[in-house]
Every structure is written in structure tokens, then in C-alpha cells.
Amino acid sequence: MTYPTSDPRVLAHRQGGLGTITLNRPEAINAVTREMLHAVREVLEAWLTDPDVQVVLFDAVGDRGFCAGGDVRVLHDAIREGRLAEAEAFFRDEYTTNAYIDEYPKPIVAFADGVTMGGGIGIAGHARVRVVTERSQLAMPETRIGFTPDAGGSWLLGQAPGRTGEFLALTSWAMGPADAIFAGFADHFAPSDRLSSLREALTTRADPSTPTELVLLFDETLPAGPIERARGWIDDAFAADTVPEIIDRLRALAADGVGEGEEVSPAAALAALAERSPVALTVTLAAIRSSRAVRGLRDAVSQEFVLVTWFMTTQPDMAEGIRAQMVDKDRSPKWRPATLAEVDPGIVGEAFAFEPERPLFG
């Protein structure tokens, strides 16, 4: 049975007790717009009281990925042209949808197959059962575009083992399937060519009956990924109090040859940090550590909403980062300030004390 939606880029249908929401914008790796978020929310609300829908599945059209994130090009234009209320409305809808998925009483399964980043994590990362494949690449890439992990990503990063969260947040590193499971962004691995069989099993749900038990029938154990193998030096370097101190530790480790020849190494982390916005790095480090103290996802996205509105309202780096990476694609952002040494020591306090016109919830 097909369900009509308010946006053709979101498809919904039910077979048996399985309701499937399919992101249908493959030309943009299913990047979500505000209208798509509305359609997702409307379907979930309708299925909440529909006794025929017992399990919800998120998947997507196309082989490149589940969702590359939010449609930040539209946000770039809104921020650059001073239409901040429009940009704020997108984030409000996105974050409240993230929380709705997290709190949804019916089991939600997500196939995070291929690229799943930023806003894609906001959908798939908060499902009850999160499946990755050999094609999966998961990341919170926000420091690359001049702001801070959002869509509930700060909550997931804060819960990651050791200092993995700081490493992933500051470098915007992409995780393969093994590291996504290690870091707590996914639960199970299944080969992409078995997803159709898994979908069929979720539809028929004979024995075993729960989605988790069904997924376990397809789950395969992976060897440790490169981030997990680097856990020792990551915990050492990224436990430092400030970003400059993290960089100092990474330089010392690199000088000692730690991780030399490995995919994930202190030298590679240094190269990534050198490209990121100094303000974004400074605020993000504080955000990930602050997220460890909040009660849950709802509080985390509320904190993210404060920070993203601060970035949009007061900082030039967010629009500049989106321009350099997604619009002009020159990959040469002009950060302001350009160096960590120039960052105002009080900027973290300023960011966290910012008050949006109205809170995310309430």
C-alpha cells in the first residue's frame, strides 16, 4: 500500500507490518530539504496510530548513499542574504524531527547504505536499529564547512568510546562500517546485496519477531577499523584541554613516527585540523564535551540549536565554509579569524550564552 506524501522526494508505503520511508532525491545523494523533513514527520505521525504499521524502515533511492545531509546550498543563500529566520526554521524542523525519531515508540530500522553524513546521521543515527554495509561512509563534516556537529551528532559523538568523539568531530573524519559500529553510530553490518532479503524478513517477521533479532540473522562481524586500531594515540592526543594542546600532542606523536603508514595517523589528523575553521574547532571541542553532561538527545539538539543560531547570526565562517565546499567548490575557505591564536578566549562562553529568539522546544 502506497501512502501519499507532501513531497515527491519522500516515498512511503506499507507491506505487511513494515512501513517504509524512502528518501528519493538520488541526484543530490538524498540531501534533505525542509519540505522533505515535513513529509517525513507527517508520515511518522500518521503511522504512530496506524495499527497496521508495526515497524518503520528508512532507506533511500540510489547507490551513492542514504543521505549526504541537509541541503546546505539553500542555507548558504539564506544566510548570505540575511534571511536568517528561514535558515533557523530549517534547523528547528530538522532537530525536532531528529528528536521525534529518537523518541518514536515503534521500532525504527535504518539502512545507512553508502554516504550518510550530517543530516543523514540525524535520521539514521537515531533509529533503534542502524544497519551499515560495505559501502557505508558515515561522518559529521560540519567543521569542514565552518560550524559544529548538529542533528544530534554531538550526542552520538559525546557517547563514543574514549576520545573518539573529539577526533571525529574536529577532523570531520569519515567512518567505514566497522568504525561506525565501534563509535556508536551504527549497530549491525550487513552486505548491501542482502538488504533486500533483510527488508523481506522485516516484512514477514515470522520467527524471530523483533527487528533486532531479525537483523542479527544477517549481521556479520567485521575486523577492527582504522579508527579503532588508532584508539590509543587518539585518546592520548584528544584528551588535551584545548585545540592548540591537541595539535601539540599530535605533532609530538607524528615526530615519533606513531601511526606512520596507517590510514588514520597523527600526521593525517594534523593535516585535517589545519584545514578547519579555528572558531569551529574551538566551539566544537567544548560542544562535544558539554554533550556528555546532558540528559539525552533532546537536550543535545537544544544545545546545538543555540550554537547553530550563534554561528549564523554572528560568525562569517559558516557561510564561507559552505561556499568553499558546496557552492563554488574551490576548497579554499577564508576563515575569520584565520588562526587558532587569533580566536577570542571568551568565544566559547559567548557561543553557549547566545539566546535564540525562542528555544527549540517549548
Side-chain angles (χ1 to χ4, degrees), residues 203-228:
T203 301
T204 55
R205 295 177 64 235
D207 184 30
S209 61
T210 71
T212 298
E213 290 173 325
L214 285 167
V215 172
L216 281 170
L217 297 177
F218 295 82
D219 191 10
E220 296 184 10
T221 301
L222 298 173
I227 295 174
E228 183 177 1

Side-chain angles (χ1 to χ4, degrees), residues 179-234:
D179 280 323
I181 293 170
F182 163 70
F185 280 69
D187 303 299
H188 305 284
F189 171 84
S192 58
D193 61 5
R194 300 202 69 194
L195 292 182
S196 59
S197 297
L198 176 52
R199 183 182 290 105
E200 182 179 353
L202 290 167
T203 301
T204 55
R205 295 177 64 235
D207 184 30
S209 61
T210 71
T212 298
E213 290 173 325
L214 285 167
V215 172
L216 281 170
L217 297 177
F218 295 82
D219 191 10
E220 296 184 10
T221 301
L222 298 173
I227 295 174
E228 183 177 1
R229 295 196 301 269
R231 166 81 184 273
W233 68 257
I234 286 174

Side-chain angles (χ1 to χ4, degrees), residues 229-275:
R229 295 196 301 269
R231 166 81 184 273
W233 68 257
I234 286 174
D235 284 357
D236 180 16
F238 286 84
D241 289 339
T242 67
V243 177
E245 289 174 295
I246 289 172
I247 290 172
D248 286 343
R249 292 190 185 186
L250 289 171
R251 284 175 177 156
L253 290 164
D256 288 341
V258 174
E260 191 170 342
E262 297 290 332
E263 177 184 346
V264 179
S265 67
L270 280 168
L273 295 178
E275 297 176 352

Side-chain angles (χ1 to χ4, degrees), residues 2 10 52 55 86 94 97-98 113 120 145 190-191 194 221 288 337:
T2 299
V10 173
D52 292 328
V55 177
E86 181 180 325
E94 181 180 28
T97 299
N98 302 151
D113 182 27
I145 52 175
R194 300 202 69 194
T221 301
I288 301 311

